């Protein structure tokens, strides 16, 4: 007879944790893709039957360390998102009349999404992501089709990539350049917009176009073991842990058929001298155009995923 008040240990044996010496070495990841290539995107819709529409998006990062032993192989964090759409549903009787649909967005990090465990209460970063997501989606949905109705879009971040290499701050020298805090959030916001766009289409909401998001950045010299190997360049879909210095980054929400931008967020500065204002404006234009190219490439993945989901339903 077992004691129900006692917390019993596992039935099988447990092994003590082992730490590989590679994890204590300062080996930040490097970008192996070309500047115009995007990371691989996995997208699937219709995973939550109880919701009006749902989607799942995953971006897996390449391994950063040599694969001597797969048990101890450490890789950068990937990006895994789920999105559910509920509605259109009628508003409460006490709410005033609204000629257009009321859109509400929620972005929440799971407690296990990052290496540092997060709390269950909503913080300011999640509120900012929800505001940017609502701005990107509000101009896409045809709101006058559902007066006095509401649509709720919830994005859950199961795993979110970080802004810097996990071991850089502790072991790198003081002259190693740092990455702005908002840079890594842009990659997460881009995934939120893409997965929400697929979930909206899966829900059958009338839209003027499929909104796609892309990120571009102007990176400095890559910092690898205290050495720099190349000059400034513009890259698409950056993984900010692979670059030692990020001068500026940009994210856009783009409608290709209408050639419109529904969301634009820039961070950083290209040049700081006032006499180089023209070069700074040209760099910003190039950065926005590069982000639009990344959004167009991500749109192809959205279209293919929606086509596969539609063919599966009609089959």
């Amino acid at each position: 007879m077992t004691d129900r008040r006692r917390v019993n240990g596992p039935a099988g044996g447990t092994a003590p944790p082992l730490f590989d010496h590679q994890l204590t070495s300062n080996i930040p990841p490097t970008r192996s893709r070309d500047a115009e290539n995007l990371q691989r995107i996995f997208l699937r819709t219709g995973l939550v039957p109880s919701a009006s529409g749902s989607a799942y998006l995953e971006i897996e990062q390449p391994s950063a360390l040599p694969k001597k032993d797969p048990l101890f192989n450490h890789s950068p964090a990937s990006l895994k998102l789920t999105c559910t759409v509920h509605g259109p549903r009628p508003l409460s009787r006490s709410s005033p009349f609204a000629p257009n649909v009321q859109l509400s967005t929620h972005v929440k990090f799971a407690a296990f999404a990052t290496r540092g465990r997060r709390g269950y209460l909503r913080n300011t970063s999640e509120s900012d992501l929800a505001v940017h997501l609502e701005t990107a989606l509000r101009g896409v949905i045809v709101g006058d089709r559902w007066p006095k109705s509401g649509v709720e879009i919830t994005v859950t971040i199961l795993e979110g990539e970080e802004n810097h290499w996990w071991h850089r701050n502790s072991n790198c020298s003081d002259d190693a350049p740092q990455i702005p805090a908002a840079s890594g959030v842009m990659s997460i916001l881009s995934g939120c917009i893409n997965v929400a766009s697929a979930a909206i289409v899966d829900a059958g909401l009338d839209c003027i176009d499929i909104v796609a998001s892309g990120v571009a950045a102007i990176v400095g010299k890559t910092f690898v073991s205290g050495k720099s190997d190349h000059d400034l360049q513009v890259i698409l879909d950056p993984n900010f842990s692979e670059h030692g210095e990020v001068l500026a980054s940009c994210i856009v929400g783009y409608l290709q058929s209408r050639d419109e931008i529904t969301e634009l967020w820039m961070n950083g500065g290209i040049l700081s001298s006032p006499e180089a204002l023209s070069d700074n404006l040209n760099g910003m234009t190039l950065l926005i155009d590069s982000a639009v190219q990344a959004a167009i490439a991500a749109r192809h993945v959205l279209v293919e995923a929606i086509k596969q989901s539609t063919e599966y339903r009609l089959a």
Side-chain angles (χ1 to χ4, degrees), residues 18 84 129 145 159 233:
L18 300 177
T84 56
L129 287 174
R145 299 289 178 88
E159 186 175 352
Q233 64 173 346

Side-chain angles (χ1 to χ4, degrees), residues 26-276:
N26 183 19
I27 308 177
T30 57
R31 184 184 177 99
S32 58
R33 299 174 286 120
D34 295 336
E36 296 80 10
N37 292 345
L38 274 64
Q39 303 175 89
R40 294 183 178 181
I41 301 175
F42 174 81
L43 180 63
R44 181 166 295 180
T45 60
L47 299 180
V48 182
S50 60
S52 302
S54 60
Y56 171 79
L57 183 142
E58 179 177 351
I59 299 177
E60 190 71 24
Q61 305 293 345
S63 178
L65 299 179
K67 295 184 178 180
K68 294 183 179 180
D69 191 346
L71 180 62
F72 304 113
N73 186 32
H74 182 82
S75 61
S78 60
L79 184 62
K80 299 176 182 179
L81 308 170
T82 60
C83 179
T84 56
V85 177
H86 297 275
R89 295 183 292 190
L91 300 177
S92 61
R93 295 183 178 181
S94 60
S95 60
F97 176 78
N100 297 326
V101 64
Q102 300 297 309
L103 179 64
S104 60
T105 57
H106 305 277
V107 178
K108 179 61 181 176
F109 280 88
F112 49 85
T114 57
R115 293 187 177 92
R117 189 171 182 84
R118 289 178 170 266
Y120 294 96
L121 298 179
R122 191 179 185 185
N123 54 21
T124 56
S125 62
E126 296 171 346
S127 301
D128 294 340
L129 287 174
V131 171
H132 285 285
L133 179 61
E134 182 179 356
T135 304
L137 301 178
R138 182 170 296 276
V140 179
I141 301 176
V142 182
D144 56 356
R145 299 289 178 88
W146 303 279
K148 202 177 180 181
S149 301
V151 174
E152 183 178 356
I153 300 176
T154 304
V155 177
T156 303
I157 303 173
L158 302 178
E159 186 175 352
E161 59 187 5
E162 298 179 355
N163 302 330
H164 51 78
W165 174 235
W166 69 285
H167 206 60
R168 175 173 291 164
N169 289 348
S170 58
N171 286 349
C172 275
S173 59
D174 296 335
D175 58 348
Q178 298 297 324
I179 297 176
S183 298
V185 180
M186 289 187 176
S187 298
I188 297 178
L189 177 60
S190 176
C192 292
I193 295 175
N194 290 329
V195 71
S197 178
I200 289 174
V201 176
D202 184 65
L205 300 180
D206 294 342
C207 302
I208 59 177
D209 193 8
I210 300 176
V211 58
S213 179
V215 183
I218 297 180
V219 298
K221 299 178 179 180
T222 302
F223 190 83
V224 180
S225 301
K227 299 180 181 180
S228 55
D229 57 357
H230 60 77
D231 297 328
L232 301 180
Q233 64 173 346
V234 179
I235 59 175
L236 306 182
D237 193 17
N239 182 7
F240 293 97
S241 62
E242 299 175 347
H243 306 282
E245 183 180 7
V246 178
L247 299 182
S249 55
C250 175
I251 176 176
V252 298
Y254 184 66
L255 303 177
Q256 184 178 6
S257 63
R258 301 172 65 94
D259 194 16
E260 295 181 0
I261 293 179
T262 60
E263 167 66 15
L264 176 61
W265 183 17
M266 298 189 67
N267 180 47
I270 301 172
L271 296 175
S272 59
S273 58
E275 60 274 6

